[in-house]
Structure formats: C-alpha cells, structure tokens
Amino acid sequence: MNVNVVGAINVLKFAKSCTKLKMLLHVSTAYVCGKAIGILPEKPFDMGETLSENTYLDIDVERVVIANKLKELETLNATPKEVTIAMKELGMQRERLHGWPNIYSFTKAMGEMLLGHLKENLQIVIIRPTIITSTYKEPFPGWIEGVRTVDSFIVAYGKGVLKFYYGDPDSKLDVIPGDMVVNSIVAAVIAHENQYSEDIVIYHISSSSRDGPLKNSDIMSSTFHYFTKNPWANKDGKIIKVEAPLRPFSSIDSFRKHISTHYLPLLKMLKFVNIVSCHFFDKTYKNMERKMNTAIRLSQLYEPYVFFYGSFDNVNTEKLRLRMKEINMDEVLNFDPCCIKWEDYLMNTHIPGVVKYLF
C-alpha cells in the first residue's frame, strides 16, 4: 500500500509542482487484470472498479482497515514476525474480496485508479509489462537483478530443491525481456513529449498476443535440458543432477495428494528418527522439509501466472512501434518480441543469466 498506492500519489503530487512537465509515465503491471481470460484491453481502471461483481473499492477504507489492524497488533504486543504474518493474511482477505489474485496486482491497480482520479490536466502514460525476464541484448544479453516469477522455479529446480509444481503446462506464460521494457518506456516518452492526450494511455508490453506464445511447458523443458547439460554445483562443489523435467499437477487436489503421499509420511518419520538419534539426521530432515515448503510456497505465490489463459491486447503498443519506425528509432528502441527465438533465448541467454548474475 505504501509503495504501490501512496508512493504513486506522492510522485503525482511532485509532478504537479514541476512547471515545465509534459507528462508523467507510470510503470504498473499487466496483471492488474487478475485471472481474466480472452483478449485483455489496454484500458484504464475507473475509480472504485473491482474484478468482483459485488464489491466497490474504496481506497480510503482499505487504508483505514490496514491502520486499524496495525493498531490492534500493536495493542497485542505482536512480534515483527507475527505482524508480517497477520498483514499478509489481511492483504489476502482484501484482495480476494475485490477479485484480485495477489496483493501486488491489487495494490498496483489501486495506484492506477488514483493516478487517473487525481491527475487533473496532467498527461499520464502507463506502461504495463508482463513477467520481466533477463535482457535480450542491452547492456548485454542475460543481465538480471533479483529473482522474478519464472526464475524462482528455475533456481529451485536447478538446485535440486523442486521436482514438481502446481500449474497447467499448456497455459500461456507471458514474458518480456527487461531491456525491451526499458525501450518501450523511452519510446513512450518520445512519442508523447509533444502529443498531449487528455485520456490515460496504456501500453501492454507483452508477448502473448504474438505468434507462438510461450507456455509453461516450454520453460520447464528448457530448464531441464539446460541443467542436464550444465548441472549446478552446490556450495560444497558437489554436482546436482537433474533426472527428469518438473512434474506438473494441474489440479490442487492432485498436488496436495502428491505431497501427502510422498512427503508428509516420510517427513514425519524423519522428524521422529532425528529426535531419537540426537539430531543425527538434521540435514536430511531440513532438506526434505525445505523441498516440500518450497513447492507449497511457489504454488501459492505464482498460481495466478501458471494458470493464465488471457492475451494482452497491444493495439496501442503496435502504434507506438510504428511511431518509432517512422522516426527511424525502431532498431535502437526495439521492444518487439517477434524477433525472439524463445528456445534459443531461454537456453543461451536467460537461464545462463539467472545462474551467473543471481548466484
């Protein structure tokens, strides 16, 4: 709330004090749409709009709810860990109430609403990228900073921590390299510098509407082939072998059944043996517990992305590409994913970049 909503308004207030300002460009996320299906338009939110049919979103009320909860936790002398857990749970309750699948997209949507509501005569452009991956070319191929959605699975699998996941292998995985997002931002600044628009202009920076979009299975297959040829070494220098691709579970029931059948009984037995043996099997027990918890955590966190069936409309983005071509800037500011050969990019750019620059 403080960063994605209040922070956006603080920037807007500052922008209004800049007398020569021509536009304010705001970076949001394409997933403010939630788990929608079909073609998703480049359309701004109305104030109070939700993804649920039966609710109205009053952002002031949401802030009061947060403040009251924090006050309640303070009265109870809750520890920082207890505060974190309680606030995450509150966020999940509020996001579900209004139809969003996670707190990030929920607060990003609120930020967009307030910008539109309070902008007055200021020109606002909103860039909505999808899942951002490592750079395609600039400043050099494969550069990345911070573990992103896809990379959590890549890292956990390569390190031998994850062997299965909750997700539909046939659902679309809309990714876009980081330098293409940056190029689209610069292109939008150029295009709107002297072209005022009273309405908010939205740009989807995505790949799902192009021919042959990526699927979850493509990422998992490339990850298997990469780590088969280039196995990870742990901190002791021991090679971590991968024996099979990540196994998908398309239903939550089958996912939970797999955990309860293959992990929970063994984990309980290991816990008992570890206690009676004075923690001789401590490392083995913690390793298995970590694998199970990683699978559960990733399934909860990224469920909206591994069961996504929409395509992001890019009519405005196509116009922006044409504008760059008209002024001979389309090669300098390339943000067209059509030029990407995804298998080659994953195998020779993205996954090696994750391994090199994150670890």
Side-chain angles (χ1 to χ4, degrees), residues 16 21-22 59 61 71 75 88 90 115 119 131 153 157 166 182-183 193 200 202 228 244 249 258 266 305 350:
K16 288 180 178 179
L21 193 76
K22 295 187 177 182
I59 297 174
V61 168
K71 193 177 294 183
T75 304
K88 280 185 178 180
L90 177 65
L115 287 176
K119 75 181 189 71
I131 299 168
F153 292 92
Y157 175 75
Y166 174 49
V182 174
N183 287 345
E193 182 184 12
I200 292 179
I202 308 280
T228 300
F249 289 93
H258 182 77
L266 187 56
Y305 306 102
H350 182 65

Side-chain angles (χ1 to χ4, degrees), residues 6-258:
V6 179
I9 300 314
N10 288 341
V11 173
L12 179 66
K13 288 177 181 176
F14 173 74
K16 288 180 178 179
S17 70
C18 300
T19 56
K20 295 184 180 181
L21 193 76
K22 295 187 177 182
M23 63 176 289
L24 173 62
L25 187 142
H26 174 71
V27 181
S28 184
T29 171
Y31 293 96
V32 290
C33 67
K35 291 179 68 176
I37 60 175
I39 304 297
L40 309 172
E42 294 168 304
K43 171 184 169 294
F45 280 100
D46 294 326
M47 192 65 183
E49 182 181 350
T50 73
L51 302 183
S52 173
E53 293 180 359
N54 304 314
T55 63
Y56 174 82
L57 178 58
D58 187 323
I59 297 174
D60 289 333
V61 168
E62 297 302 317
R63 295 181 68 182
V64 169
V65 168
I66 291 171
N68 289 344
K69 186 65 176 179
L70 287 170
K71 193 177 294 183
E72 175 192 327
L73 292 166
E74 185 180 356
T75 304
L76 295 171
N77 293 318
T79 65
K81 185 177 181 180
E82 289 171 338
V83 171
T84 298
I85 293 170
M87 296 311 292
K88 280 185 178 180
E89 181 58 38
L90 177 65
M92 290 167 68
Q93 291 172 10
R94 304 308 294 181
E95 88 202 11
R96 289 169 189 155
L97 173 66
H98 297 302
W100 273 271
N102 55 43
I103 299 167
Y104 177 69
S105 58
F106 177 39
T107 52
K108 276 292 193 180
M110 284 192 274
E112 286 193 20
M113 286 178 203
L114 282 173
L115 287 176
H117 183 65
L118 301 173
K119 75 181 189 71
E120 297 176 340
N121 294 323
L122 184 61
Q123 178 174 211
I124 302 279
V125 173
I126 296 178
I127 300 288
R128 287 181 182 167
T130 52
I131 299 168
I132 301 175
T133 52
S134 62
T135 54
Y136 180 59
K137 283 188 177 180
E138 299 173 304
F140 41 82
W143 181 80
I144 192 169
E145 186 177 66
V147 177
R148 304 292 180 232
T149 311
V150 172
D151 310 324
S152 300
F153 292 92
I154 292 172
V155 171
Y157 175 75
K159 288 191 168 188
V161 176
L162 190 67
K163 294 186 178 181
F164 60 97
Y165 73 101
Y166 174 49
D168 182 355
D170 293 322
S171 74
K172 293 178 182 178
L173 193 67
D174 196 316
V175 302
I176 193 80
D179 52 339
M180 289 195 173
V181 178
V182 174
N183 287 345
S184 72
I185 292 171
V186 178
V189 170
I190 293 170
H192 291 272
E193 182 184 12
N194 296 305
Q195 185 180 332
Y196 176 79
S197 173
E198 185 176 333
D199 297 324
I200 292 179
V201 180
I202 308 280
Y203 292 110
H204 281 154
I205 310 303
S206 63
S207 58
S208 62
S209 60
R210 317 299 279 177
D211 292 334
L214 271 177
K215 296 180 179 179
N216 286 325
S217 57
D218 298 322
I219 295 281
M220 303 312 172
S221 175
S222 294
T223 303
F224 168 66
H225 290 305
Y226 179 83
F227 285 112
T228 300
K229 296 177 182 177
N230 310 279
W232 210 311
N234 64 18
K235 59 183 179 182
D236 299 323
K238 184 180 178 181
I239 296 299
I240 301 169
K241 293 182 180 179
V242 295
E243 298 173 354
L246 274 170
R247 182 180 174 183
F249 289 93
S250 298
S251 76
I252 192 64
D253 289 338
S254 61
F255 177 74
R256 287 172 177 163
K257 184 178 179 181
H258 182 77

